[in-house]
Amino acid sequence: AQQNKAGTSYFLKLDGGKSYLHGSLPSNLMNRLSREEKELNSIRYLSTGSMLHGSSSIESDGGGERCYYLEFDSGECWWNVPSSQGEHDRDLQQIFSEVDVHRVAFGSSSSEIIDASASWIVIAKDGSVFYRNIPQGLHDTLTARDAEESYAAPCEVSLGVSGSYFIRFLDGSVD
């Protein structure tokens, strides 16, 4: 796979089943796919995160040991939340074990985020949301919607750099 100069990677799976990879996936994920003889085109959903919390560099291939969550077409799910990320990520491990996951976004530490720990958000298939250290604006949006039961549940989410985020709700509204 070819990687651009900025190190951006992405994986797309189209409704027809065809998949595309640009850049590189986490090396720990690629190693497991190879070891367990799974193909990229058997992945239904994939979300990857940044390097291990506290790491200051990315390997030259951009892969590295990173968080990931994936669901295969078969319904089987894999995830990796490296243990050196601490107590908060044991919470995430538990959520992955107990919740029927719809979407996951992994963020990074920044001054815009509540504290310097890892950042993540999980949307369950029943519409419930679990999160840790998300940008304040996203936290405020979710809190306001929780107070009003008539609001639509979130269905898509992404965490960016410097407190940026995207969230879409089932009624089509976005923030």
Side-chain angles (χ1 to χ4, degrees):
Q2 184 179 5
Q3 186 173 7
N4 70 18
K5 293 178 184 177
T8 300
S9 298
Y10 59 85
F11 172 81
L12 298 174
K13 172 97 181 236
L14 304 178
D15 290 339
K18 188 166 178 131
S19 62
Y20 299 91
L21 172 65
H22 175 80
S24 59
L25 296 177
S27 59
N28 49 331
L29 172 56
M30 294 303 293
N31 291 339
R32 184 169 181 193
L33 287 167
S34 175
R35 186 173 59 249
E36 300 201 22
E37 299 179 353
K38 297 276 191 174
E39 298 292 325
L40 284 176
N41 64 0
S42 67
I43 296 172
R44 175 186 305 155
Y45 173 75
L46 172 65
S47 180
T48 63
S50 59
M51 297 295 289
L52 288 172
H53 183 66
S55 291
S56 59
S57 64
I58 294 178
E59 294 177 12
S60 60
D61 70 354
E65 174 82 9
R66 296 179 7 218
C67 298
Y68 64 81
Y69 177 90
L70 69 83
E71 181 178 344
F72 291 100
D73 292 328
S74 67
E76 178 183 5
C77 298
W78 291 355
W79 60 85
N80 184 48
V81 182
S83 60
S84 66
Q85 291 195 344
E87 184 70 36
H88 296 314
D89 294 284
R90 283 194 282 278
D91 293 342
L92 184 55
Q93 291 272 14
Q94 184 174 357
I95 290 166
F96 286 160
S97 296
E98 297 174 0
V99 171
D100 195 7
V101 173
H102 174 64
R103 293 291 181 262
V104 177
F106 300 99
S108 59
S109 298
S110 88
S111 60
E112 297 289 324
I113 295 174
I114 295 168
D115 71 25
S117 298
S119 173
W120 48 262
I121 183 168
V122 176
I123 300 173
K125 290 183 180 173
D126 68 4
S128 56
V129 180
F130 307 87
Y131 52 85
R132 172 87 61 205
N133 301 322
I134 58 175
Q136 190 63 50
L138 179 55
H139 180 270
D140 294 345
T141 296
L142 292 171
T143 303
R145 284 183 163 270
D146 278 347
E148 290 287 332
E149 293 182 22
S150 62
Y151 280 115
C155 58
E156 301 292 338
V157 66
S158 179
L159 298 174
V161 297
S162 300
S164 63
Y165 64 91
F166 170 84
I167 189 162
R168 184 169 59 93
F169 297 89
L170 288 172
D171 63 3
S173 61
V174 297
D175 188 36

